[in-house]
Amino acid sequence: MRATYERLQQLFIRKGREAMAGLNSGQQWSHHLVRAIEKLRESIPRLRVTHCDRQAKVFTVDELEATEEWGTFIDPVYSMESVFNEYRVEFPPIPDEQFWPEWHGTTVRPNPLM
């Protein structure tokens, strides 16, 4: 358990530093997100419905320019700032085992309604 906890702590430190470096360089989105979006942009036609008449079943569709800004369609939770805030969690040290509560094993409590 201690080894897993310490590896997770190291991962959070490394990912937090990566996110901070991205923020300091002015990066708004992660490299993984940008690469995925650019890959999709190559294969998917960029269309926009400009007029829709549901009764007549008529749609007017225009092709978007290649310079259309995609960042406006992405939830802010995927921004580098949000990612950095997630990795800022501090891990308290694991206390010595003598301070752990006593373990009596798993207790099974059946649900009487079932």
Side-chain angles (χ1 to χ4, degrees), residues 15 18 27 29-38 80:
K15 292 300 227 174
E18 289 174 8
Q27 183 181 344
W29 309 105
S30 75
H31 290 297
H32 299 292
L33 177 66
V34 172
R35 268 187 268 143
I37 289 174
E38 293 301 327
M80 286 303 292

Side-chain angles (χ1 to χ4, degrees), residues 57-110:
K57 296 182 181 178
V58 175
F59 298 92
T60 305
V61 179
D62 294 335
E63 189 165 349
L64 297 175
E65 295 293 320
T67 60
E68 184 75 21
E69 179 59 38
W70 50 262
T72 58
F73 301 105
I74 298 176
D75 193 294
V77 74
Y78 298 107
S79 69
M80 286 303 292
E81 184 176 349
S82 180
V83 170
F84 175 70
N85 287 334
E86 289 300 317
Y87 286 114
R88 283 188 1 187
V89 174
E90 292 187 20
F91 283 75
I94 296 177
D96 192 277
E97 287 186 38
Q98 66 182 356
F99 298 113
W100 292 8
E102 190 174 340
W103 172 253
H104 300 288
T106 305
T107 304
V108 179
R109 295 189 178 121

